[in-house]
């Protein structure tokens, strides 16, 4: 689960290995360029968190720091709180031992620091002298990105097996007078809706127990504003964090009697007591977080930079624009339909054609969602010439070719379901629930992992150059259980998620360059665990540009624009009844990885011309979308406008997107946006793009950065669903 990403580490400081009793206030700073997590060993050997926030010039100043709680009143802000001793709060670690007791009291044993390029790893060993349980805490400090990634390795050093009841990746104590929590909630076609509240005492829990499609309801990420009653974009202290795990997760926020906030992030303990045999180790997934003294904006930029450099497979690479067949053809197509769509995609300047659902299964042909999943052979009744023929046609037209699979699932109406009923997630003696007419395959079973690997591998052999795979996963687990695991059902949820990673690791060894999209009925699997292997996410099945404003704004608080696939579809589409202008749809989709998902032949000539213009200009500035820094100018959650911009690292180029979501006050006139992230001392030539009718008096002219940032950038958006896009280049 935890991969040695940093081989050849340079040893900087090693094993203080000081006996606990004399380790009074050993200060262990975990620092990045601008932030610091200060840990320290108390006189009783307990590892505490003293500070997380701005970097402090001399961490040793914390030598005499008192954490506030008396010995009788608790255990102070433990760096990895365990059930036992005086600690009675939410634990990071809760262990049940073979004798039935629950007490774990960890004391510091040693620590070491290693550096590999810009990543400094601090490894701290804690031990329970009575139960011999050992915990290694790892803190990887990404210097330039100001991100810390932490995880724990829990080793049963005793002679009897133990059960891990809670095993969070990390704990983060924060200290402020008030905390405002932002988290993300939603449902199908409505993912990543911002939700939030001022925290009160006791514990707020954000959890998902869905097994698959884990993030359709909640996302394993958050932002906490300190000393504030709301999230602010450019001011205030904000801690943003995310758990890199694609299975059930749990985030908890406990405000204690000293007003401190303990943030725990980890695998959900729901039905997942994990047995550790003597000598065995369990490694938790990574919990990453960042601190910003300049609001949510800087917190997002830190996470995005980390994601592009370390967290996303192929991060920083430009992925192609595309036409996807789904909303244009659904299940009803012939070879001819596909070829004409390829012709249209090529003539519009798109760079890839993706054949979505419906191309496979012979005995139970996939002509709807009720049959065929599991039988991954080409349906020659629909495509007699085979996939290679279609892929070659696309390649000959200069397009890349991608194809859809949903390898974790099976329709009861399939040969696979008949051949391997025992591969289906189930509990004995019960009728299996269906959702979207399908069952979930049991990825905790290595034989199923081999099969799922084989689906991807065989699909890749259908044509010599398949460039892109859309990996889908269209239901949650129900009636969970695994025939393979026998009596060990508690392992099911953890081993399912590990099963996906096992498969993806193998696939990435064989197919390092294939672009793989992570789709789960849209944004049902959006997390930094999946993004270690996937290049991008299908942000939502909802391609309605109005709803996308909310979904994309919130997604981009945590995840970078380079992973956000965003497609232009027809209106009204099957998700909402909204009828937005094509320009508005393009302007929205161009703020992520642009694609189209409609039948191009249904566009009018005028619409085609606009589409061509939008695609052409997007290809010229999209490096800003993929690698630039985001600055959010107006939040759809707070007003009637949404606006954002991406700025190149050297501040010489930028693209600005402005949208009117609801126009209701003619008296106000054109809304003024203050641009951000530019160099106020430089001048920028501003060019309006995706032009339908020109929207700003200053387009085509050069303006001082300082004017654009402080003066009046006021494009005329005087109708609901008006929008405008501008490109800026320093002169
Ligand atoms: C899911 C995906 C869609 C599409 C369909 C095909 O809903 O999210 O994009 O691929 O499956 O069945």
């Amino acid at each position: 689960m935890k991969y040695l990403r940093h081989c050849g580490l340079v040893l900087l400081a090693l094993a203080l290995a000081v006996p606990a009793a004399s380790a009074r206030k050993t200060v262990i700073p975990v620092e990045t360029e601008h932030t610091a997590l200060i840990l320290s060993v108390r006189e009783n050997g307990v590892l505490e968190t003293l500070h997380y926030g701005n970097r402090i010039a001399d961490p040793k100043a914390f030598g005499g720091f008192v954490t506030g709680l008396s010995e009788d009143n608790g255990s102070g802000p433990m760096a990895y709180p365990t059930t036992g001793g005086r600690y009675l709060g939410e634990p990071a670690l809760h262990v049940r031992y073979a004798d039935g007791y629950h007490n774990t009291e960890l004391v510091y044993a040693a620590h070491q620091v290693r550096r590999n390029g810009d990543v400094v790893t601090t490894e701290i060993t804690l031990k329970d002298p009575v139960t011999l349980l050992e915990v290694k805490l790892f803190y990887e400090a990404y210097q330039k990105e100001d991100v810390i990634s932490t995880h724990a390795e829990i080793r049963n050093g005793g002679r009897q097996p133990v059960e891990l009841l809670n095993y969070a990746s990390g704990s983060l104590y924060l200290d402020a007078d008030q905390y405002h929590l932002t988290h993300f909630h939603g449902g199908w076609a409505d993912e990543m809706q911002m939700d939030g509240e001022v925290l009160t005492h006791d514990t707020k829990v954000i959890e998902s127990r869905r097994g698959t499609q884990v993030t359709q309801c909640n996302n394993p990420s958050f932002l906490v504003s300190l000393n504030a009653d709301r999230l602010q974009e450019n001011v205030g202290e904000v801690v943003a964090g995310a758990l890199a795990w694609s299975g059930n997760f749990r985030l908890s926020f406990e405000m204690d009697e000293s007003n401190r906030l303990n943030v725990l992030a980890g695998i959900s303990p729901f039905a997942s007591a994990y047995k550790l045999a003597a000598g065995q180790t369990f490694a938790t997934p990574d919990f990453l977080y960042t601190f910003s003294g300049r609001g949510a904006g800087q917190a997002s930029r830190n996470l995005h930079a980390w994601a592009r450099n370390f967290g996303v497979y192929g991060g920083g690479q430009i992925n192609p624009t595309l036409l996807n067949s789904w909303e244009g053809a659904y299940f009803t197509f012939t070879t001819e339909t596909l070829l004409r769509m390829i012709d249209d995609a090529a003539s519009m300047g798109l760079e890839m054609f993706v054949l979505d659902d419906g191309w496979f299964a012979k005995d139970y042909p996939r002509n709807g969602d009720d049959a065929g999943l599991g039988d991954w052979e080409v349906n020659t009744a629909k495509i007699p010439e085979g996939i290679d023929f279609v892929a070659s046609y696309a390649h000959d037209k200069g397009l890349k070719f991608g194809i859809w699979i949903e390898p974790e699932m099976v329709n009861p109406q399939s040969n696979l379901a008949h051949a391997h009923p025992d591969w289906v997630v189930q509990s004995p003696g019960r009728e299996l629930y269906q959702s979207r007419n399908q069952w979930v395959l049991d990825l905790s079973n290595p034989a199923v992992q081999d099969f799922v690997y084989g689906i991807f591998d065989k699909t890749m052999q259908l044509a010599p150059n398949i460039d892109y795979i859309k990996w889908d996963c269209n239901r949650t687990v129900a009636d969970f259980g695994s025939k393979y695991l026998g009596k060990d059902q508690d392992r099911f949820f953890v081993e399912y998620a590990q099963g996906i990673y096992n498969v993806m690791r193998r696939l990435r060894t064989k197919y390092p360059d294939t672009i793989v999209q992570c789709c789960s009925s849209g944004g049902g699997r959006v997390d930094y665990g999946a993004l270690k292997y996937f290049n991008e996410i299908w942000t939502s099945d909802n391609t309605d540009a109005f709803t996308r404003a909310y979904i994309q704004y919130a997604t981009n608080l945590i995840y970078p624009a380079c992973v956000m696939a965003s497609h232009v579809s027809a209106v009204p589409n099957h998700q909402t009844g909204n009828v937005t202008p094509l320009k508005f749809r393009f302007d929205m989709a161009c703020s992520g990885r642009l694609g189209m998902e409609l039948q191009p032949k249904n566009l009018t000539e005028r619409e085609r011309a606009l589409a061509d213009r939008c695609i052409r200009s997007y290809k010229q500035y999209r490096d800003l979308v993929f690698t630039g820094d985001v600055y959010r100018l107006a939040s759809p959650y707070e007003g009637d406008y949404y606006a954002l911009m991406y700025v190149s690292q050297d501040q010489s180029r930028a693209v600005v997107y402005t949208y009117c979501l609801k126009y209701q006050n003619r008296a106000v006139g054109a809304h003024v946006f203050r641009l951000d992230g530019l160099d106020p001392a430089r001048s920028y030539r501003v060019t309006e793009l995706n032009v339908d009718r020109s929207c700003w008096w200053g387009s085509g002219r050069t303006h001082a950065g300082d004017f654009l940032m402080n003066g009046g950038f006021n494009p005329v958006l005087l109708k609901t669903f008006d929008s405008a896009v501008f490109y800026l280049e320093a002169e």
Side-chain angles (χ1 to χ4, degrees):
M1 178 183 316
K2 177 70 197 168
Y3 322 103
L4 283 177
R5 289 183 222 142
H6 311 301
C7 305
L9 300 172
V10 184
L11 207 64
L12 268 194
L14 182 67
L16 294 186
V18 187
S22 65
R24 185 181 169 75
K25 295 300 178 202
T26 299
V27 175
I28 307 174
V30 176
E31 295 169 318
T32 65
E33 264 179 26
H34 304 103
T35 72
L37 172 73
I38 307 286
L39 305 170
S40 122
V41 183
R42 207 176 163 121
E43 54 278 20
N44 59 6
V46 171
L47 185 72
E48 290 184 339
T49 306
L50 299 189
H51 167 82
Y52 181 52
N54 282 321
R55 186 170 170 151
I56 285 145
D58 179 13
K60 291 204 191 65
F62 279 99
F65 200 82
V66 176
T67 45
L69 288 181
S70 74
E71 288 283 337
D72 293 341
N73 197 15
S75 306
M78 283 196 278
Y80 196 67
T82 56
T83 296
R86 292 189 175 90
Y87 187 75
L88 297 167
E90 285 285 319
L93 180 65
H94 179 182
V95 184
R96 179 160 49 207
Y97 293 93
D99 59 7
Y101 283 86
H102 290 249
N103 276 29
T104 302
E105 294 188 53
L106 296 172
V107 292
Y108 169 88
H111 81 279
Q112 51 180 297
V113 181
R114 312 184 276 270
R115 183 169 194 126
N116 181 28
D118 283 334
V119 187
V120 178
T121 303
T122 303
E123 177 186 326
I124 305 174
T125 306
L126 307 173
K127 283 186 177 151
D128 184 332
V130 174
T131 64
L132 305 183
L133 195 92
E134 185 180 294
V135 174
K136 284 192 175 159
L137 298 178
F138 294 82
Y139 297 88
E140 291 175 320
Y142 294 85
Q143 300 300 294
K144 292 212 168 66
E145 295 80 7
D146 287 326
V147 167
I148 294 173
S149 170
T150 186
H151 77 279
E153 287 181 11
I154 304 157
R155 184 173 165 274
N156 178 6
R159 296 193 167 176
Q160 301 292 326
V162 302
E163 269 183 296
L164 308 182
L165 303 181
N166 292 60
Y167 36 104
S169 295
S171 152
L172 181 63
Y173 264 101
L174 304 173
D175 207 343
D177 291 332
Q178 191 178 42
Y179 308 92
H180 178 273
L181 171 68
T182 300
H183 58 100
F184 306 96
H185 184 74
W188 175 77
D190 192 31
E191 301 88 339
M192 285 300 274
Q193 298 297 309
M194 273 174 88
D195 213 343
E197 66 193 81
V198 171
L199 293 171
T200 52
H201 288 90
D202 212 343
T203 306
K204 166 86 183 178
V205 172
I206 312 288
E207 189 167 25
S208 179
R209 301 175 169 199
R210 298 180 162 223
T212 52
Q213 253 185 1
V214 168
T215 69
Q216 198 175 67
C217 56
N218 290 316
N219 195 267
S221 61
F222 65 89
L223 299 102
V224 173
S225 307
L226 306 181
N227 298 309
D229 59 6
R230 68 193 175 96
L231 184 67
Q232 295 186 84
E233 185 59 21
N234 292 316
V235 295
E237 298 191 335
V238 173
V239 174
L243 183 76
W245 179 244
S246 308
N248 290 348
F249 67 84
R250 187 172 197 267
L251 310 175
S252 72
F253 304 83
E254 182 182 22
M255 198 185 344
D256 68 17
E257 64 271 40
S258 306
N259 266 0
R260 274 186 306 235
L261 187 71
N262 181 25
V263 182
L264 294 173
I267 294 174
S268 166
F270 168 66
S272 295
Y274 199 93
K275 286 191 194 65
L276 264 195
Q280 206 189 342
T281 299
F282 182 82
T284 72
D286 294 327
F287 170 29
L288 33 116
Y289 44 83
T290 186
F291 171 84
S292 154
R294 291 194 287 134
Q298 190 57 47
S300 298
R301 289 187 286 280
N302 293 349
L303 285 180
H304 296 174
W306 171 84
R308 287 192 299 264
N309 296 336
F310 301 96
V312 173
Y313 195 88
Q317 145 195 326
I318 308 268
N319 293 324
T321 56
L322 60 88
L323 175 67
N324 176 299
S325 67
W326 181 238
E327 288 192 38
Y330 291 108
F331 292 105
T332 314
F333 54 81
T334 59
T335 308
E336 188 56 23
T337 322
L338 305 178
L339 301 191
R340 293 299 72 83
M341 288 179 96
I342 290 171
D343 289 341
D344 286 333
S347 73
M348 283 192 290
L350 294 168
E351 297 157 304
M352 180 156 69
F353 176 72
V354 178
L355 172 55
D356 209 283
D357 199 351
W359 58 267
F360 54 91
K362 281 183 176 159
D363 296 341
Y364 301 91
R366 182 76 172 166
N367 293 325
D369 61 17
D370 58 341
L373 274 183
D375 298 351
W376 297 96
E377 76 239 301
V378 183
N379 180 353
T380 42
K382 256 184 196 172
I383 315 176
E385 303 83 352
I387 297 299
D388 186 18
F389 178 78
V390 181
S392 301
Y393 188 84
H395 286 136
D396 289 347
K397 294 264 166 180
L399 299 186
K400 293 183 186 300
F401 179 79
I403 192 163
W404 179 95
I405 54 174
E406 191 182 356
E408 296 161 70
M409 300 286 160
V410 57
N411 282 128
Q413 288 197 66
S414 66
N415 288 323
L416 178 69
H418 300 141
H420 291 286
D422 52 324
W423 281 5
V424 174
V425 170
Q426 58 196 285
S427 57
R430 297 180 193 279
E431 198 184 325
L432 289 179
Y433 291 108
Q434 291 182 29
S435 172
R436 211 193 188 212
N437 305 304
Q438 64 198 55
W439 293 327
V440 182
L441 292 177
D442 173 13
L443 254 99
S444 70
N445 181 344
V448 176
Q449 292 171 25
D450 285 345
F451 176 76
V452 168
Y453 171 87
I455 292 168
F456 189 116
D457 195 31
K458 281 192 201 122
T459 305
M460 290 295 290
Q461 315 307 322
L462 291 174
N465 291 311
I466 290 187
D467 304 282
Y468 176 102
I469 295 277
K470 174 173 173 178
W471 178 306
D472 211 339
C473 168
N474 277 317
R475 65 159 285 184
T476 54
V477 164
D479 225 352
F480 62 92
S482 158
K483 280 212 163 154
Y484 165 77
L485 288 172
K487 289 212 157 38
D488 241 344
Q489 295 297 319
D490 283 357
R491 296 179 101 95
F492 172 72
F493 284 116
V494 172
E495 295 200 356
Y496 188 102
Q498 288 173 336
I500 301 167
Y501 295 155
N502 289 344
V503 171
M504 287 311 293
R505 255 197 309 278
R506 284 172 68 189
L507 287 171
R508 279 315 192 182
T509 308
K510 185 156 182 194
Y511 301 105
D513 301 326
T514 309
I515 303 168
V516 189
Q517 182 185 73
C518 187
C519 174
S520 180
S521 305
R525 190 179 273 160
V526 176
D527 67 82
Y528 277 122
L531 284 168
K532 281 182 189 165
Y533 305 101
F534 291 87
N535 302 70
E536 61 172 34
I537 54 168
W538 180 221
T539 317
S540 174
D541 262 0
N542 201 336
T543 45
D544 163 44
F546 172 72
T547 322
R548 274 290 181 124
Y550 297 85
I551 296 173
Q552 292 185 185
Y553 179 91
T555 301
N556 193 230
L557 278 164
I558 303 293
Y559 303 97
C562 63
V563 305
M564 275 197 320
S566 193
H567 296 179
V568 173
S569 70
V571 288
N573 59 16
H574 71 265
Q575 301 91 350
T576 67
N578 287 327
V579 177
T580 56
L582 186 64
K583 172 174 165 54
F584 185 80
R585 282 174 269 153
F586 260 106
D587 287 356
M588 192 62 66
C590 283
S591 68
R593 195 278 288 132
L594 172 65
M596 293 184 77
E597 190 148 340
L598 44 63
Q599 183 48 271
K601 68 175 187 216
N602 295 341
L603 295 172
T604 64
E605 220 170 281
R606 189 153 187 261
E607 288 175 327
R608 271 296 289 264
L610 176 67
D612 293 357
R613 282 203 298 285
C614 295
I615 294 164
R616 196 177 322 118
S617 65
Y618 175 81
K619 289 194 287 191
Q620 277 158 18
Y621 67 76
R622 65 175 155 188
D623 60 301
L624 297 168
V625 180
F626 280 83
T627 64
D629 275 335
V630 70
Y631 289 85
R632 291 179 288 262
L633 312 177
S635 162
Y637 291 87
E638 288 175 4
D640 299 333
Y641 294 87
Y642 169 34
L644 74 162
M645 55 193 290
Y646 303 115
V647 183
S648 66
Q649 303 297 328
D650 65 0
Q651 296 176 300
S652 69
R653 297 161 62 237
V655 56
V656 181
Y657 305 85
T658 56
Y659 312 92
C660 176
L661 303 177
K662 184 171 166 199
Y663 188 73
Q664 50 185 352
N665 189 350
R666 213 156 253 291
V668 174
H671 187 82
V672 177
F673 302 97
R674 289 182 171 190
L675 301 194
D676 203 351
L678 302 175
D679 181 347
R682 288 163 94 172
S683 289
Y684 294 85
R685 185 168 182 79
V686 182
T687 313
E688 186 173 353
L689 304 175
N690 301 359
V691 182
D692 203 354
R693 65 172 172 83
S694 180
C695 268
W696 190 49
W697 60 269
S699 179
R701 299 196 214 163
T702 299
H703 303 273
D706 130 89
F707 165 74
L708 296 169
M709 296 171 80
N710 300 303
F713 186 76
N714 55 348
V716 178
L717 308 177
L718 293 183
K719 278 205 313 286
T720 299
F721 304 144
D722 271 357
S723 58
V725 178
F726 300 89
Y727 175 69
L728 277 64
E729 188 151 15
E731 295 214 315

